[in-house]
Amino acid sequence: MNPSPSSIIFGKAWLYCTVFLTGAAVMVIELLGTRLIAPFYGASLYVWTSLIAVTLIALAIGYYLGGIWADRARSGLSLIIAASGLLTLIIPWLTGPVLLATDPLGLRLGSFVSTLILFSPSLIMLGMVGPFAVKLSTSALANVGASTGSIYAVSTVGSVIGTLFLGFYLFPLVGSREIFMGLGVSLLILAMAVAWIERKYLNKSITTMVPTALLMAIGLGLYPAIASSGEAEFSNTFQTRFERESLYGWVRVIDKPKENIRLLTADASTIGAASISHGENLLTYQKIVAQIPHLSSNIEKALLIGQGAGHMVATLNKAAIVTDTLEIDLAVAEAASKYFDFIPTGDRIIGDARYEIRQLKGPYDLIILDVFTGGTEPTHLLTVEALTQLHNLLSEHGILALNFVSFLDQGKNPALASVSRTLAQVFSHQQIFISDPGSDFNDFIFLATNHAINLNDDLIPFSDRTWLKQRLLDIDTTHGTILTDNHSNLELLQIRKSEHYRRMIVESIGTRHFIR
């Protein structure tokens, strides 16, 4: 007997709804994956590469296994979805142990292996949904090509909607751990609905309902344990004053009372440090800012890109310099005001620098580019094109100050050489200073101008001249490359730096500081 039109429509509807929702779940897991991994390994190209590769690997395996299962058994779609829900639900709970176990593998291999362990099981199960749905759709519609195309089209549309909904609406309002748990529970509920349809309309065995219900019960039972695992655990050595998961990272203010230190961190980077008792700046490299007003006359207006805790604004304010600040993360700006007493002296801009600097008019007498910290680096801000944009905002005698964290390597580090060669494409003069002459791993301050800076100028106080000359540096640019929007290998050149910096932070604060 041929199926009725209503049953055909219902068969399409529930299948399309299922693949739409599971398609959305795939992208939610992929996008949220970086928010669990980034605090530990950084939101670098390697983390994103690992997530994309693992997603594709898992889906390929899921498509293959799903096709085999669908050919051998006409029931089980609800069980597949339920398994994906449970595996998604436990991801936040497994994150800590997995990241700790993969830590010795280093940045690239560690991020890939941890991503593979955490996300591939649930993604494999979600990948199995498509072939199973095609099998069910084909038996009802007897049109293999159209059925397959429509199933995967709807699944892809679900992925698109899931991506937009997560990025534009859900994530700004809800934390990543809560989204993971909500997604897991939602998949379990979907599995229950599919099991009911399989039993009532497709005449499948009731046994599919039993494991689905069991998995859901186990998953919901795990919820309190998973939720509690996200609580911050600090000894009396550390006190978390502020914690916010923003669109760009995990922002924290951490006090170390015994050492009289207050830290502002974003994921695995320390972007501000001050004494708890008096609030004075503890980052040595920022002391050079106090010297800059002596290097050029009539500096009245400055732009700081990468506000951090805002100490440089206060320093410039002492020299009667008004400073506009540009910070990508609203949570960082909030923490700076509340816990580091940051008071803006100029315009306060929140946004991505490459976009926002196109909106600025200038001119600025001084631009400070302070975004290349010990952690993940926004390499798109250190290219010929980006520096040209900043150059166009400078006044005739303006100065660009750029802070860069790396190794000295006896002046032969290719990363430092690349920065220098790239600056030379835009500015005719540059001078390089090292923050701590006694250390190989260091902050390096590049001053780029279109005019020569004379450190022997009598306008510069003698003590400042001495301080600067002791830190003046020559580097070998032979092995450097010119960084452009089209090609930048800066992340590759800075792998050793990123791993060394993370080890330093781990020794100072502890590994669990970076685990969500």
Side-chain angles (χ1 to χ4, degrees):
M1 183 175 64
N2 293 328
S4 65
S6 61
S7 64
I8 292 177
I9 294 174
F10 179 76
K12 288 182 179 181
W14 80 268
L15 274 176
Y16 288 171
C17 181
T18 299
V19 297
F20 178 89
L21 294 174
T22 54
V26 168
M27 291 308 300
V28 170
I29 292 173
E30 180 180 1
L31 291 174
L32 280 182
T34 187
R35 306 318 298 265
L36 295 185
I37 302 295
F40 198 80
Y41 286 112
S44 65
L45 175 64
Y46 304 111
V47 170
W48 275 110
T49 300
S50 297
L51 279 163
I52 294 172
V54 165
T55 300
L56 295 175
I57 292 170
L59 290 178
I61 295 173
Y63 295 153
Y64 177 74
L65 296 178
I68 294 176
W69 191 344
D71 283 339
R72 294 181 179 179
R74 301 291 294 176
S75 63
L77 182 58
S78 59
L79 181 59
I80 291 172
I81 298 172
S84 69
L86 177 62
L87 292 169
T88 300
L89 192 63
I90 64 176
I91 286 174
W93 180 62
L94 294 175
T95 299
V98 169
L99 291 177
L100 291 173
T102 59
D103 187 36
L105 299 178
L107 176 60
R108 286 180 286 188
L109 185 58
S111 62
F112 178 78
V113 172
S114 60
T115 301
L116 188 69
I117 295 172
L118 287 171
F119 307 116
S120 63
S122 57
L123 289 172
I124 287 173
M125 301 308 296
L126 289 171
M128 294 173 66
V129 172
F132 219 100
V134 168
K135 185 73 172 183
L136 294 175
S137 177
T138 301
S139 64
L141 304 179
N143 191 332
V144 177
S147 298
T148 303
S150 61
I151 288 293
Y152 282 100
V154 171
S155 177
T156 302
V157 171
S159 296
V160 172
I161 299 301
T163 301
L164 295 174
F165 180 71
L166 176 67
F168 290 172
Y169 176 73
L170 189 58
F171 189 75
L173 300 177
V174 185
S176 57
R177 296 179 63 87
E178 291 76 14
I179 296 175
F180 263 117
M181 291 185 285
L183 178 62
V185 172
S186 298
L187 287 171
L188 289 168
I189 293 173
L190 175 62
M192 294 291 289
V194 171
W196 179 79
I197 293 172
E198 287 179 327
R199 174 173 174 251
K200 186 172 181 64
Y201 291 96
L202 302 181
N203 297 320
K204 304 304 177 185
S205 171
I206 193 172
T207 55
T208 57
M209 180 69 81
V210 177
T212 303
L214 179 61
L215 284 173
M216 184 173 183
I218 294 174
L220 292 176
L222 283 173
Y223 181 87
I226 297 172
S228 63
S229 68
E231 297 297 326
E233 295 181 3
F234 286 93
S235 65
N236 292 332
T237 308
F238 302 100
Q239 298 175 3
T240 302
R241 297 298 186 188
F242 175 89
E243 185 173 13
R244 180 73 51 80
E245 184 178 21
S246 71
L247 292 174
Y248 302 99
W250 192 22
V251 179
R252 279 180 165 183
V253 175
I254 300 173
D255 282 357
K256 301 174 70 174
K258 292 183 179 180
E259 301 177 42
N260 192 29
I261 295 175
R262 172 166 292 175
L263 301 174
L264 175 59
T265 66
D267 285 340
S269 296
T270 298
I271 58 176
S275 68
I276 299 174
S277 57
H278 298 91
E280 67 267 21
N281 175 38
L282 298 179
L283 297 180
T284 305
Y285 79 90
Q286 294 186 4
K287 292 181 180 179
I288 198 172
V289 176
Q291 320 301 326
I292 292 178
H294 302 301
L295 302 180
S296 180
S297 60
N298 301 322
I299 296 181
E300 298 178 353
K301 189 174 183 181
L303 171 66
L304 172 61
I305 303 174
Q307 172 192 299
H311 290 116
M312 284 190 280
V313 174
T315 299
L316 294 174
N317 189 44
K318 294 177 182 178
I321 298 173
V322 176
T323 305
D324 294 344
T325 57
L326 177 51
E327 169 61 50
I328 193 172
D329 200 328
L330 181 60
V332 170
E334 179 182 345
S337 297
K338 190 172 182 179
Y339 296 94
F340 293 87
D341 299 324
F342 168 65
I343 300 175
T345 60
D347 293 336
R348 193 175 188 179
I349 306 165
I350 304 296
D352 186 273
R354 281 298 291 267
Y355 172 80
E356 296 296 342
I357 60 179
R358 294 200 303 269
Q359 319 306 315
L360 297 175
K361 302 301 181 183
Y364 291 99
D365 305 307
L366 169 65
I367 295 178
I368 301 173
L369 186 58
D370 187 24
V371 295
F372 300 99
T373 63
T376 303
E377 298 174 327
T379 56
H380 65 291
L381 296 181
L382 188 43
T383 64
V384 171
E385 293 83 355
L387 294 173
T388 299
Q389 289 180 313
L390 295 177
H391 177 274
N392 293 337
L393 288 176
L394 282 171
S395 60
E396 182 179 356
H397 295 285
I399 298 175
L400 172 69
L402 186 152
N403 178 61
F404 190 76
V405 179
S406 194
F407 289 94
L408 178 58
D409 291 337
Q410 298 180 337
K412 298 181 180 181
N413 187 337
L416 289 176
S418 297
V419 175
S420 179
R421 291 192 61 184
T422 304
L423 283 168
Q425 295 296 303
V426 182
F427 296 90
S428 55
H429 296 83
Q430 63 176 277
Q431 290 180 317
I432 309 169
F433 301 88
I434 187 170
S435 175
D436 181 5
S439 175
D440 187 51
F441 184 72
N442 234 299
D443 287 271
F444 299 89
I445 299 90
F446 293 76
L447 297 184
T449 60
N450 284 324
H451 62 281
I453 295 177
N454 182 12
L455 295 183
N456 294 314
D457 195 319
D458 291 337
L459 295 177
I460 306 174
F462 178 77
S463 59
D464 294 338
R465 269 183 277 164
T466 303
W467 190 89
L468 288 170
K469 288 180 179 180
Q470 289 174 343
R471 288 161 175 78
L472 192 61
L473 189 68
D474 287 323
I475 62 172
D476 182 0
T477 61
T478 305
H479 301 291
T481 59
I482 298 172
L483 308 172
T484 67
D485 285 347
N486 180 60
H487 177 69
S488 173
N489 62 344
L490 192 59
E491 280 193 282
L492 179 63
L493 296 175
Q494 289 283 77
I495 288 178
R496 182 163 67 101
K497 180 272 304 185
S498 298
E499 292 182 335
H500 178 78
Y501 181 83
R502 193 163 65 86
R503 291 263 63 85
M504 290 174 55
I505 298 299
V506 166
E507 292 173 2
S508 174
I509 301 177
T511 309
R512 291 194 174 275
H513 167 73
F514 304 107
I515 297 175
R516 296 305 317 272

